């Protein structure tokens, strides 16, 4: 194993540990004891003490942190302070919903960004390239939740083509599942596509100036074939890094889109937790999102080293 | 967008011009709103609910009968205020950290790892955490967006500092016995300032988006203070009957973000000669 891999893995594990301290510590300063909040102002001290014991909030903060971490490792997020239900199964259920949304958005982003970015690069001095560049600027300026609201107004309200929101599990009704996923995934995906297209444009522009592409042209390949056979694979290296980082952005961006389309994903769970002041639930969901972001960043670094031979074995 | 740019003294940079014009428009509207709005943006009038655009109410009225144009004008203040404070926090903290990591080896590793970690807490997530602990307010939104923007400044300024530190004049200053803080103030800061300004413009666009998103979720500016994100959120319930209510704040958000993005692009074109080959 290379030194780089070990270093990155060490940094990743340390980042996870520090992030867990930050999330726990930050939300631990929340004013008001959860047991007292749950029982109300008229609760007897005995009842409060009993519930504190049940929640585990009677222990010192460090012991609470260790207990929370031990639970996280085995997928036990504890029980909600408000509903008393186990948080772990809720998080896993909701994560599944969010991953469908994020996955579909990523596919849409790629389907739009790769051809658009390539055309923007190949025809960068022509009208079509400039028009696409202008559209990508506009796409970056329009947030996903705005696209979502406008898409609902047009496609759900005016044309009545697609549902305005909701979620049906794919096993229950695959057609309705897809119909309900189209608008939110498009809203989330288009915002990312606009950003990604600019990176694709930049990467393809760089590749177009490379000697190997000129050689491929000299050997008789048409510009399109030369680009498809030699160019896009090389342009994929920097784009794959951005793609990975965008996955993390999509996970967080999904929070707002889920609210627009009333999708019961991780973001909705988080917002409900904040609204109900359900500290343990908020802690768990925030930690899952932070872990997801860190894992994606770590995977991108490893992937980058794997596909770019110059980085192998380097520090 | 920058294809029309020509070099030389009479430089025309379309991105810079268009971005500057849009930013100027937002600032002008915000400034004018302090002395004049078509109507009182807070005045609730149940007899004039949900009116369409007219000479009296240019963009119509909302569900409480409040004038939308007036609320949009006052909302621009919120947008600019949040952006200025958030970007200010990020620039004031991020710039010295970036210079420090570019000039010293000992602290660089630690600060850069901390920066990597901070990137795991995007503005939206951080603001929701802040909202959970301190309650939703413009202040918590500003601080969260500002803190989340620091890593970008650190990285950009560090890259610029490393470049400056490898120049002959920086080496000469060292050889002449000038100390680190002296070199930082005299040579590094003036040379990385253009990068800071470009980053500030880009971060401003991100701050506008984040503020709108947070207000949309109810974690930003609380009512009745007008905020574009909240206006959009309030319009959602009336999409079936009054879709125009969503269009106005949406256009305002998009134009402001577009302005700062174009301005940032234009500044980058002007200040970073390495980008010339990409055009």
């Amino acid at each position: 194993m290379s030194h780089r891999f070990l270093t990155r893995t060490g940094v990743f594990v340390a980042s996870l540990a520090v992030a867990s301290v930050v999330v726990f510590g930050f939300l631990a300063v929340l004013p008001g004891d959860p047991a007292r909040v749950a029982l109300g102002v008229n609760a007897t001290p005995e009842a409060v003490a009993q519930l504190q014991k049940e929640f585990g909030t009677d222990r010192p903060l460090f012991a609470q942190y260790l207990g929370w971490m031990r639970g996280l490792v085995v997928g036990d997020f504890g029980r909600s302070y408000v509903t008393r239900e186990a948080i772990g199964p809720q998080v896993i259920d909701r994560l599944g919903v969010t991953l469908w949304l994020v996955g579909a958005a990523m596919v849409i982003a790629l389907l739009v960004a790769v051809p658009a970015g390539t055309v923007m690069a190949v025809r960068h001095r022509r009208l079509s390239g400039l028009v696409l560049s202008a559209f990508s600027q506009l796409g970056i300026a329009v947030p996903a939740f705005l696209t979502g609201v406008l898409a609902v107004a047009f496609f759900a309200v005016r044309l009545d083509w697609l549902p305005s929101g909701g979620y049906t599990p794919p096993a229950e009704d695959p057609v309705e599942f897809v119909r309900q996923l189209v608008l939110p995934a498009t809203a989330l995906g288009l915002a990312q596509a606009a950003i990604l297209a600019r990176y694709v444009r930049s990467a393809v522009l760089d590749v177009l100036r490379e000697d190997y592409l000129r050689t491929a042209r000299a050997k008789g390949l048409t510009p399109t074939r030369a680009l498809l056979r030699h160019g896009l694979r090389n342009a994929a290296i920097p784009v794959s890094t951005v793609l990975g980082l965008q996955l993390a952005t999509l996970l967080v961006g999904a929070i707002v889109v889920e609210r627009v389309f009333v999708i019961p994903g991780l973001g909705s769970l988080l917002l409900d937790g904040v609204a109900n002041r359900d500290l343990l639930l908020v802690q768990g969901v925030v930690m899952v999102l932070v872990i997801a972001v860190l894992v994606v960043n770590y995977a991108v670094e490893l992937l980058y080293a794997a596909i770019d031979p110059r980085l192998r074995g380097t520090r | 967008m920058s294809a029309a740019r020509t070099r030389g003294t009479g430089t025309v940079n379309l991105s810079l011009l268009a971005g500057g014009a849009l930013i100027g428009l937002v600032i002008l509207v915000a400034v004018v709103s302090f002395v004049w709005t078509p109507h009182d943006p807070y005045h609730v009038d149940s007899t004039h609910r949900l009116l369409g655009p007219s000479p009296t109410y240019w963009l119509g009225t909302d569900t409480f009968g409040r004038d939308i144009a007036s609320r949009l004008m006052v909302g621009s203040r919120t947008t600019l205020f949040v952006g200025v404070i958030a970007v200010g926090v990020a620039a004031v903290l991020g710039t010295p950290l970036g210079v420090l990591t570019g000039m010293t080896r000992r602290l660089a590793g630690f600060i850069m790892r901390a920066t990597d970690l901070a990137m795991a807490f995007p503005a939206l997530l951080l603001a929701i955490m802040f909202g959970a602990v301190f309650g939703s307010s413009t202040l918590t939104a500003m601080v969260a967006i500002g803190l989340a923007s620091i890593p970008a400044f650190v990285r950009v300024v560090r890259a610029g500092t490393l470049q400056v530190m490898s120049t002959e004049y920086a080496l000469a200053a060292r050889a002449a016995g000038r100390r680190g803080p002296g070199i930082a103030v005299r040579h590094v800061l003036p040379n990385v300032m253009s990068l800071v300004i470009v980053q500030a413009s880009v971060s401003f666009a991100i701050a506008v988006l984040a503020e709108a998103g947070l207000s949309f979720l109810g974690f930003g500016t609380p009512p009745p203070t007008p905020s574009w994100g909240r206006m959009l959120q309030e319009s959602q319930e009336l999409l079936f009957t009054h879709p125009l209510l969503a269009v106005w704040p949406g256009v305002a958000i998009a134009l402001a973000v577009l302005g700062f993005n174009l301005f940032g692009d234009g500044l980058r074109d002007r200040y970073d000669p390495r980008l010339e080959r990409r055009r």
Side-chain angles (χ1 to χ4, degrees), chain A residues 77-132:
Chain A
F77 291 73
R79 285 185 175 276
S80 157
Y81 290 155
V82 177
T83 62
R84 315 284 168 89
E85 287 175 20
I87 295 170
Q90 291 184 65
V91 169
I92 290 165
D93 275 3
R94 301 293 192 100
L95 182 63
V97 176
T98 299
L99 287 180
W100 275 117
L101 174 61
V102 169
M106 188 55 103
V107 170
I108 290 169
L110 272 173
L111 288 176
V112 174
V114 173
T118 307
V119 172
M120 278 156 65
V122 173
R123 306 176 73 91
H124 72 286
R125 289 191 193 279
R126 297 193 196 166
L127 185 66
S128 54
L130 287 174
V131 168
L132 276 175

Coordinates of all heavy atoms in Angstrom, one line a residue, chain A residues 77-132:
Chain A
F77 N -28.7 4.5 16.7 CA -28.6 5.9 16.9 C -29.4 6.3 18.2 O -29.6 7.5 18.4 CB -29.3 6.6 15.7 CG -28.5 6.5 14.5 CD1 -28.4 5.3 13.7 CD2 -27.8 7.6 14.0 CE1 -27.7 5.2 12.6 CE2 -27.1 7.5 12.8 CZ -27.0 6.3 12.1
G78 N -29.8 5.4 19.0 CA -30.6 5.7 20.2 C -32.1 5.8 19.9 O -32.5 5.5 18.8
R79 N -32.8 6.3 20.9 CA -34.3 6.5 20.8 C -34.6 7.9 20.8 O -34.0 8.7 21.5 CB -35.0 5.7 21.9 CG -35.0 4.2 21.7 CD -35.9 3.5 22.7 NE -35.9 2.1 22.3 CZ -36.7 1.6 21.4 NH1 -37.6 2.4 20.8 NH2 -36.7 0.3 21.1
S80 N -35.6 8.3 19.9 CA -36.0 9.7 19.8 C -36.4 10.2 21.2 O -37.2 9.5 21.9 CB -37.1 9.8 18.8 OG -37.8 11.0 19.0
Y81 N -36.0 11.5 21.5 CA -36.5 12.1 22.8 C -38.0 12.4 22.7 O -38.6 12.6 23.7 CB -35.7 13.4 23.1 CG -34.3 13.2 23.4 CD1 -33.3 14.2 23.2 CD2 -33.8 12.0 24.0 CE1 -32.0 14.0 23.5 CE2 -32.5 11.8 24.4 CZ -31.6 12.8 24.1 OH -30.3 12.7 24.4
V82 N -38.5 12.5 21.5 CA -39.9 13.0 21.4 C -40.8 11.8 21.2 O -41.8 11.6 21.9 CB -40.0 14.0 20.2 CG1 -41.5 14.4 20.0 CG2 -39.2 15.2 20.5
T83 N -40.5 11.0 20.2 CA -41.5 9.9 19.9 C -41.1 8.6 20.6 O -41.9 7.6 20.6 CB -41.5 9.6 18.3 OG1 -40.1 9.2 18.0 CG2 -41.9 10.8 17.5
R84 N -39.9 8.5 21.2 CA -39.3 7.3 21.8 C -39.1 6.2 20.9 O -38.9 5.1 21.3 CB -40.2 6.8 23.0 CG -40.8 7.9 23.9 CD -39.7 8.4 24.9 NE -40.1 9.6 25.5 CZ -40.7 9.7 26.7 NH1 -41.1 8.6 27.3 NH2 -41.1 10.8 27.2
E85 N -39.2 6.4 19.6 CA -38.9 5.4 18.6 C -37.4 5.3 18.3 O -36.7 6.3 18.4 CB -39.7 5.7 17.3 CG -41.2 5.5 17.4 CD -41.8 5.9 16.1 OE1 -41.2 6.0 15.0 OE2 -43.0 6.2 16.1
A86 N -37.0 4.1 17.9 CA -35.6 3.9 17.5 C -35.3 4.7 16.3 O -36.0 4.8 15.4 CB -35.3 2.4 17.2
I87 N -34.1 5.5 16.4 CA -33.8 6.4 15.3 C -33.1 5.7 14.1 O -33.4 6.0 13.0 CB -32.9 7.5 15.8 CG1 -33.6 8.4 16.9 CG2 -32.3 8.4 14.7 CD1 -32.7 9.3 17.6
G88 N -32.3 4.6 14.4 CA -31.6 3.9 13.4 C -32.5 3.5 12.2 O -32.2 3.9 11.1
P89 N -33.5 2.7 12.4 CA -34.4 2.3 11.3 C -34.9 3.4 10.5 O -35.0 3.4 9.3 CB -35.5 1.5 12.0 CG -34.9 1.1 13.3 CD -34.0 2.1 13.7
Q90 N -35.3 4.5 11.2 CA -35.9 5.7 10.5 C -34.8 6.3 9.6 O -35.1 6.6 8.4 CB -36.3 6.8 11.5 CG -37.5 6.4 12.4 CD -37.8 7.6 13.2 OE1 -38.2 8.7 12.8 NE2 -37.7 7.5 14.6
V91 N -33.6 6.4 10.1 CA -32.5 7.0 9.3 C -32.2 6.2 8.1 O -32.1 6.7 7.0 CB -31.2 7.2 10.2 CG1 -30.0 7.6 9.3 CG2 -31.4 8.3 11.2
I92 N -32.2 4.9 8.3 CA -31.9 4.0 7.1 C -33.0 4.0 6.1 O -32.7 4.1 4.9 CB -31.6 2.5 7.6 CG1 -30.3 2.5 8.4 CG2 -31.6 1.5 6.5 CD1 -30.1 1.3 9.3
D93 N -34.3 4.0 6.6 CA -35.4 4.1 5.6 C -35.3 5.4 4.8 O -35.4 5.4 3.6 CB -36.7 4.1 6.4 CG -37.2 2.7 6.7 OD1 -36.4 1.8 6.3 OD2 -38.3 2.6 7.3
R94 N -35.1 6.5 5.5 CA -35.1 7.8 4.9 C -33.9 8.0 4.0 O -34.0 8.6 2.9 CB -35.1 8.9 5.9 CG -36.3 8.9 6.9 CD -37.6 9.2 6.1 NE -38.7 9.5 7.0 CZ -39.1 10.7 7.4 NH1 -38.6 11.7 6.9 NH2 -40.2 10.8 8.2
L95 N -32.8 7.4 4.4 CA -31.6 7.5 3.6 C -31.8 6.8 2.2 O -31.3 7.3 1.2 CB -30.4 6.9 4.3 CG -29.0 6.9 3.6 CD1 -28.6 8.4 3.4 CD2 -27.9 6.2 4.4
G96 N -32.5 5.7 2.3 CA -32.8 5.0 1.0 C -33.6 5.9 0.0 O -33.3 6.0 -1.1
V97 N -34.6 6.7 0.6 CA -35.4 7.6 -0.2 C -34.5 8.7 -0.8 O -34.5 9.0 -2.0 CB -36.5 8.2 0.6 CG1 -37.3 9.2 -0.2 CG2 -37.4 7.1 1.2
T98 N -33.6 9.2 0.0 CA -32.8 10.3 -0.4 C -31.8 9.8 -1.5 O -31.5 10.6 -2.4 CB -32.0 10.9 0.8 OG1 -33.0 11.4 1.7 CG2 -31.1 12.0 0.4
L99 N -31.3 8.6 -1.3 CA -30.3 8.1 -2.3 C -30.9 7.9 -3.6 O -30.3 8.1 -4.7 CB -29.7 6.8 -1.8 CG -28.7 7.0 -0.6 CD1 -28.1 5.6 -0.2 CD2 -27.5 7.9 -1.0
W100 N -32.2 7.5 -3.7 CA -32.9 7.4 -5.0 C -32.9 8.8 -5.6 O -32.6 8.9 -6.8 CB -34.4 6.9 -4.8 CG -34.5 5.4 -4.7 CD1 -35.0 4.7 -3.6 CD2 -34.3 4.5 -5.7 NE1 -35.0 3.4 -3.9 CE2 -34.6 3.2 -5.2 CE3 -33.8 4.6 -7.0 CZ2 -34.5 2.1 -6.0 CZ3 -33.7 3.4 -7.8 CH2 -34.0 2.2 -7.3
L101 N -33.3 9.8 -4.9 CA -33.4 11.1 -5.4 C -32.0 11.6 -5.9 O -31.9 12.1 -7.0 CB -33.9 12.1 -4.3 CG -34.0 13.6 -4.6 CD1 -34.9 13.8 -5.8 CD2 -34.4 14.4 -3.4
V102 N -31.0 11.4 -5.0 CA -29.7 11.9 -5.4 C -29.1 11.1 -6.6 O -28.5 11.7 -7.5 CB -28.7 11.8 -4.1 CG1 -27.3 12.0 -4.5 CG2 -29.1 12.8 -3.1
G103 N -29.3 9.8 -6.6 CA -28.8 9.0 -7.7 C -29.5 9.4 -9.0 O -28.8 9.6 -10.0
A104 N -30.8 9.6 -9.0 CA -31.5 10.0 -10.2 C -31.0 11.4 -10.7 O -30.8 11.7 -11.9 CB -33.0 10.0 -10.0
A105 N -30.8 12.3 -9.7 CA -30.4 13.7 -10.0 C -29.0 13.6 -10.6 O -28.7 14.4 -11.6 CB -30.3 14.5 -8.7
M106 N -28.1 12.7 -10.1 CA -26.8 12.6 -10.6 C -26.8 12.1 -12.1 O -26.0 12.6 -12.9 CB -26.0 11.7 -9.8 CG -24.5 11.6 -10.1 SD -23.7 13.3 -10.1 CE -22.9 13.2 -8.5
V107 N -27.7 11.2 -12.4 CA -27.8 10.6 -13.7 C -28.2 11.7 -14.7 O -27.7 11.9 -15.8 CB -28.8 9.4 -13.8 CG1 -29.1 9.0 -15.2 CG2 -28.2 8.2 -13.0
I108 N -29.2 12.5 -14.2 CA -29.7 13.6 -15.1 C -28.6 14.7 -15.3 O -28.4 15.1 -16.4 CB -31.0 14.2 -14.4 CG1 -32.2 13.3 -14.5 CG2 -31.4 15.6 -15.1 CD1 -33.4 13.6 -13.7
A109 N -27.9 15.0 -14.2 CA -26.8 15.9 -14.3 C -25.8 15.5 -15.4 O -25.3 16.3 -16.2 CB -26.2 16.2 -13.0
L110 N -25.4 14.2 -15.3 CA -24.4 13.7 -16.3 C -25.0 13.7 -17.7 O -24.3 14.1 -18.7 CB -24.1 12.3 -15.9 CG -22.9 12.1 -14.9 CD1 -22.8 10.7 -14.5 CD2 -21.6 12.6 -15.5
L111 N -26.2 13.3 -17.9 CA -26.8 13.2 -19.2 C -26.9 14.6 -19.9 O -26.8 14.7 -21.1 CB -28.2 12.6 -19.1 CG -28.3 11.1 -18.9 CD1 -29.7 10.6 -18.7 CD2 -27.6 10.3 -20.0
V112 N -27.1 15.6 -19.0 CA -27.2 17.0 -19.6 C -25.8 17.6 -19.7 O -25.4 18.2 -20.7 CB -28.0 17.9 -18.7 CG1 -28.0 19.3 -19.1 CG2 -29.5 17.3 -18.6
A113 N -24.9 17.4 -18.7 CA -23.7 18.1 -18.6 C -22.6 17.6 -19.6 O -21.9 18.5 -20.2 CB -23.1 18.1 -17.2
V114 N -22.5 16.3 -19.8 CA -21.4 15.8 -20.7 C -21.6 16.3 -22.1 O -20.7 16.9 -22.7 CB -21.3 14.3 -20.6 CG1 -20.3 13.8 -21.6 CG2 -20.8 13.9 -19.1
P115 N -22.8 16.0 -22.7 CA -23.0 16.6 -24.1 C -22.9 18.1 -24.2 O -22.3 18.6 -25.1 CB -24.3 16.0 -24.6 CG -24.9 15.3 -23.4 CD -24.0 15.3 -22.3
A116 N -23.6 18.8 -23.2 CA -23.6 20.2 -23.3 C -22.2 20.8 -23.1 O -21.8 21.7 -23.9 CB -24.5 20.8 -22.2
G117 N -21.4 20.3 -22.1 CA -20.1 20.8 -21.9 C -19.2 20.5 -23.1 O -18.3 21.3 -23.4
T118 N -19.3 19.3 -23.7 CA -18.5 19.0 -24.9 C -18.8 20.0 -26.0 O -17.9 20.5 -26.7 CB -18.8 17.5 -25.3 OG1 -18.6 16.7 -24.2 CG2 -17.8 17.1 -26.4
V119 N -20.1 20.2 -26.3 CA -20.5 21.1 -27.4 C -20.0 22.5 -27.1 O -19.4 23.2 -27.9 CB -22.0 21.1 -27.6 CG1 -22.4 22.2 -28.5 CG2 -22.5 19.8 -28.1
M120 N -20.1 22.9 -25.8 CA -19.6 24.2 -25.4 C -18.1 24.4 -25.7 O -17.6 25.5 -26.0 CB -19.8 24.5 -23.9 CG -21.2 24.9 -23.5 SD -21.7 24.5 -21.8 CE -20.6 25.5 -20.9
A121 N -17.3 23.3 -25.5 CA -15.9 23.3 -25.7 C -15.6 23.3 -27.2 O -14.8 24.1 -27.7 CB -15.2 22.2 -25.0
V122 N -16.2 22.3 -27.9 CA -15.9 22.2 -29.4 C -16.3 23.4 -30.2 O -15.6 23.8 -31.1 CB -16.6 20.9 -29.9 CG1 -16.4 20.8 -31.4 CG2 -16.0 19.7 -29.2
R123 N -17.4 24.0 -29.8 CA -17.9 25.1 -30.5 C -17.8 26.4 -29.7 O -18.7 27.3 -29.7 CB -19.4 24.9 -30.9 CG -19.6 23.6 -31.7 CD -21.0 23.3 -32.0 NE -21.5 24.2 -33.0 CZ -21.5 23.9 -34.3 NH1 -21.0 22.8 -34.7 NH2 -21.9 24.8 -35.2
H124 N -16.7 26.5 -29.0 CA -16.6 27.6 -28.0 C -16.6 29.0 -28.6 O -16.8 30.0 -27.9 CB -15.5 27.4 -27.0 CG -14.1 27.6 -27.6 ND1 -13.6 26.7 -28.4 CD2 -13.2 28.6 -27.4 CE1 -12.4 27.1 -28.8 NE2 -12.1 28.3 -28.2
R125 N -16.2 29.1 -29.9 CA -16.2 30.4 -30.5 C -17.4 30.7 -31.4 O -17.5 31.7 -32.1 CB -14.9 30.6 -31.3 CG -13.7 30.8 -30.4 CD -12.5 31.2 -31.2 NE -11.3 31.1 -30.4 CZ -10.8 31.9 -29.5 NH1 -11.5 33.0 -29.2 NH2 -9.7 31.7 -28.8
R126 N -18.3 29.7 -31.4 CA -19.5 29.8 -32.2 C -20.7 30.2 -31.4 O -20.7 30.0 -30.2 CB -19.7 28.5 -33.0 CG -18.6 28.2 -33.9 CD -18.9 27.2 -34.9 NE -17.7 26.7 -35.5 CZ -17.7 25.5 -36.2 NH1 -18.8 24.8 -36.3 NH2 -16.6 25.1 -36.8
L127 N -21.8 30.5 -32.1 CA -23.0 31.0 -31.4 C -23.6 29.9 -30.5 O -23.9 30.1 -29.3 CB -24.0 31.4 -32.4 CG -25.3 32.0 -31.8 CD1 -25.0 33.3 -31.1 CD2 -26.4 32.2 -32.9
S128 N -23.6 28.6 -31.0 CA -24.2 27.5 -30.2 C -23.5 27.3 -28.9 O -24.1 27.1 -27.9 CB -24.2 26.2 -31.0 OG -22.9 25.9 -31.5
G129 N -22.1 27.4 -29.0 CA -21.3 27.3 -27.7 C -21.6 28.4 -26.8 O -21.7 28.2 -25.6
L130 N -21.7 29.6 -27.3 CA -21.9 30.7 -26.4 C -23.3 30.7 -25.8 O -23.5 31.0 -24.6 CB -21.8 32.1 -27.2 CG -20.3 32.4 -27.6 CD1 -20.3 33.6 -28.5 CD2 -19.5 32.7 -26.3
V131 N -24.3 30.3 -26.6 CA -25.7 30.2 -26.1 C -25.7 29.2 -24.9 O -26.3 29.4 -23.9 CB -26.7 29.8 -27.2 CG1 -28.0 29.4 -26.6 CG2 -26.8 31.0 -28.2
L132 N -25.1 28.0 -25.2 CA -25.0 27.0 -24.1 C -24.3 27.5 -22.9 O -24.7 27.2 -21.7 CB -24.4 25.7 -24.6 CG -25.3 24.8 -25.4 CD1 -24.5 23.6 -26.0 CD2 -26.4 24.2 -24.6

